[in-house]
Amino acid sequence: MLNERRSSFALGAAVLVLLGFALTARVPAHKQGFFSDEATYHMMAYSLAYDGDLRYEPRDLARVYELGYSAGPSGIFLKRDPDTGLIYYSKAFAYPLAAAPFVRVFGDNGFLVLHALLFAVVLGAAYAYLRRAVSEPTAATYALTYFLA
């Protein structure tokens, strides 16, 4: 029982470290701009979180600068609707849709919070899978080794 509590504590501590970092990082201050498709996904998540749509509008671009990014987005994937003339983001929207609630609550840190929670699920799944074959401490050690690697 003691080993099980220590294992749970160790896994929980790893998750708390990740969440602590995710909540306290100053994202725009540490980034100079966007990399690759990041701009599109970033703007899509904010558009879903604050506008409830995937339309590209001038306020979406203004929002990037209001958040404190010194360099604006480049290489955004867009598509014009021939019937309405409206412009929409043209990337898969599963990730921005999942991130939107976290972005709404935590701003840019919402992306990191989502990733920390997803990583917590991975650690939990690894621990549960390994626990079927080895002891609690060994399963936690292997799962945490993945975390540290």
Side-chain angles (χ1 to χ4, degrees), residues 55-131:
R55 278 195 313 265
Y56 176 76
E57 300 170 312
R59 66 180 168 195
D60 293 331
L61 184 58
R63 190 180 292 128
V64 171
Y65 290 106
E66 289 169 6
L67 290 169
Y69 287 95
S70 59
S74 61
I76 299 174
F77 290 85
L78 303 170
K79 184 174 184 173
R80 183 181 302 274
D81 182 339
D83 297 330
T84 64
L86 297 173
I87 301 172
Y88 292 92
Y89 294 102
S90 181
K91 293 291 281 181
F93 65 91
Y95 173 70
L97 185 63
F102 297 99
V103 167
R104 179 71 186 213
V105 174
F106 301 110
D108 274 356
N109 292 65
F111 294 106
L112 298 176
V113 170
L114 172 62
H115 290 192
L117 293 174
L118 291 173
F119 199 81
V121 170
V122 168
L123 281 177
Y127 176 76
Y129 177 77
L130 291 166
R131 182 59 195 101

Side-chain angles (χ1 to χ4, degrees), residues 13-88:
V15 170
L16 288 177
V17 166
L18 286 171
L19 283 172
F21 171 75
L23 291 170
T24 58
R26 293 180 39 220
V27 178
H30 295 297
K31 291 179 57 102
Q32 299 304 313
F34 297 101
F35 177 75
S36 188
D37 295 349
E38 183 182 13
T40 305
Y41 290 119
H42 183 275
M43 292 179 72
M44 287 174 75
Y46 269 93
S47 186
L48 284 166
Y50 288 96
D51 305 333
D53 60 31
L54 289 171
R55 278 195 313 265
Y56 176 76
E57 300 170 312
R59 66 180 168 195
D60 293 331
L61 184 58
R63 190 180 292 128
V64 171
Y65 290 106
E66 289 169 6
L67 290 169
Y69 287 95
S70 59
S74 61
I76 299 174
F77 290 85
L78 303 170
K79 184 174 184 173
R80 183 181 302 274
D81 182 339
D83 297 330
T84 64
L86 297 173
I87 301 172
Y88 292 92

